[in-house]
Amino acid sequence: LLYNNFIRFIGDDFTALPPTSCTEFPTECCVMQSIRGNYQVNTYLSMEEYTALMFAERYTGESFIEYNEYVQASIEDFINLHNGLFIVNASNDHSNELTIGVLESKNNVIIEYGHNAFHFPIYYPFGIVHFIIEIVQIVEPTIIL
């Protein structure tokens, strides 16, 4: 779903670099959103400023000359859209009810992951888009007899 959304909303001219586990990540332009239900994961979308401008231009079809609230909102909208499609698929395909949390800005910080985190770098001609998923908690279902 992740790569399909990149193709659909940003473009198919990318190379998916090998994913790696990570314990920390230095951000520049970054948004985070949680997904909660039978498990909790945090999703992050981070990129350098120039990459963010080009990403927003492709996503919106608008032109940007500086990083501003519209560029930030474009990145937020993309991750919100992706996560929304993910939870709909989880519900339809696996009857797994999930919710998404509010979007948070994580600009210019080093994020330390206290749990299992996996970094998926996506290389576009305009820069690398970093998608990180952190597995925070898996809740075992309660069985009632």
Side-chain angles (χ1 to χ4, degrees):
L1 180 63
L2 177 66
Y3 297 127
N4 285 340
N5 287 336
F6 276 108
I7 290 168
R8 185 181 323 166
F9 300 111
I10 307 303
D12 65 356
D13 58 337
F14 68 86
T15 301
L17 301 175
T20 59
S21 63
C22 62
T23 57
E24 67 179 24
F25 191 82
T27 69
E28 191 168 330
C29 304
C30 180
V31 296
M32 186 277 281
Q33 187 173 49
S34 294
I35 299 173
R36 293 190 175 96
N38 289 343
Y39 48 85
Q40 178 183 342
V41 296
N42 295 329
T43 57
Y44 301 83
L45 192 59
S46 182
M47 58 201 82
E48 294 179 349
E49 188 174 307
Y50 175 77
T51 305
L53 292 173
M54 298 298 101
F55 183 93
E57 283 189 11
R58 286 188 175 202
Y59 184 68
T60 66
E62 301 292 324
S63 181
F64 299 100
I65 57 173
E66 65 180 346
Y67 187 83
N68 57 31
E69 66 272 7
Y70 299 112
V71 174
Q72 178 79 22
S74 298
I75 298 168
E76 291 172 350
D77 192 64
F78 177 85
I79 197 167
N80 192 57
L81 174 65
H82 168 71
N83 288 340
L85 292 170
F86 173 79
I87 68 170
V88 167
N89 285 342
S91 177
N92 290 342
D93 296 345
H94 305 289
S95 298
N96 190 355
E97 296 303 317
L98 302 169
T99 60
I100 51 178
V102 297
L103 293 158
E104 297 179 35
S105 174
K106 299 286 185 181
N107 296 335
N108 300 309
V109 297
I110 296 176
I111 300 172
E112 294 183 8
Y113 304 103
H115 305 280
N116 294 324
F118 301 94
H119 174 215
F120 295 83
I122 295 100
Y123 179 78
Y124 274 100
F126 55 84
I128 299 175
V129 177
H130 305 275
F131 181 83
I132 300 163
I133 185 165
E134 176 188 23
I135 302 167
V136 178
Q137 180 180 21
I138 298 176
V139 179
E140 294 297 323
T142 304
I143 300 173
I144 301 173
L145 299 175

